[in-house]
Amino acid sequence: EAGVTQSPTHLIKTRGQQATLRCSPISGHTSVYWYQQALGLGLQFLLWYDEGEERNRGNFPPRFSGRQFPNYSSELNVNALELEDSALYLCASSPTRSFTDTQYFGPGTRLTVL
Amino acid sequence: AQSVTQLDSHVSVSEGTPVLLRCNYSSSYSPSLFWYVQHPNKGLQLLLKYTSAATLVKGINGFEAEFKKSETSFHLTKPSAHMSDAAEYFCVVRGRDYKLSFGAGTTVTVRA
């Protein structure tokens, strides 16, 4: 069974640009989560999508947004990039939105903002 | 809201000796608790999870954790460390808002 996949592996942008990160969940999983792992800030919850709808978001500004497609894959968009957006962005999926479901993580996309 | 405190930022052990990673949690409800491991330049891998069944949870690679409600702890142990255990470990709590809250992480170094 294929795991969670993310693309691209690395992404380099300049300040003010937009970045788009993609995630494909494990087959059959309907929930997708996004996390940011920034140096010195640890892992922080960004967004949660389930069945095509945004279910919850973390304490991030509106320039962080995303969507989930009918095939349950997801996209994270970061507009007006700032230097502090440089981080590893992790995507996870779970079979359902059950409270006890395990989240399975992808390898991440390393975003560097210059 | 829920939160997690990992009591050690760095743990160093000799190969073959026990490993103990300490985690305390705070949650308004009965939480789901997880331990994940992250090897360098890799994603997060689930070691084990607690979801209100048995309080002693066995995971992969010989790890286990004990849920102690009275102490609000969920410490991770392994009887005998292996070189491949060198990694960063995260204690995670999931509350009723479905968000995962991560601890700051514990870096494990294994000495030969």
Side-chain angles (χ1 to χ4, degrees), chain B:
Chain B
Q2 62 282 340
S3 65
V4 168
T5 302
Q6 290 184 243
L7 300 173
D8 307 288
S9 59
H10 186 244
V11 167
S12 180
V13 298
S14 297
E15 192 174 21
T17 65
V19 181
L20 169 64
L21 304 183
R22 299 180 295 165
C23 172
N24 286 345
Y25 70 91
S26 168
S27 178
S28 303
Y29 302 95
S30 293
S32 288
L33 292 160
F34 307 80
W35 276 98
Y36 282 88
V37 61
Q38 187 176 33
H39 287 93
N41 300 313
K42 296 283 181 71
L44 292 161
Q45 181 184 21
L46 178 72
L47 282 176
L48 49 82
K49 73 175 182 180
Y50 166 79
T51 56
S52 77
T55 57
L56 184 62
V57 182
K58 293 190 184 298
I60 62 171
N61 300 335
F63 285 95
E64 63 180 38
E66 186 171 7
F67 173 72
K68 291 187 176 180
K69 187 175 181 179
S70 59
E71 298 176 11
T72 61
S73 69
F74 190 56
H75 300 336
L76 180 71
T77 60
K78 182 173 180 177
S80 176
H82 190 270
M83 296 299 288
S84 60
D85 295 327
E88 189 159 20
Y89 292 77
F90 293 93
C91 182
V92 184
V93 62
R94 190 176 196 188
R96 294 293 174 180
D97 60 3
Y98 291 82
K99 296 180 186 178
L100 289 186
S101 295
F102 286 78
T106 299
T107 300
V108 172
T109 302
V110 182
R111 304 185 302 272

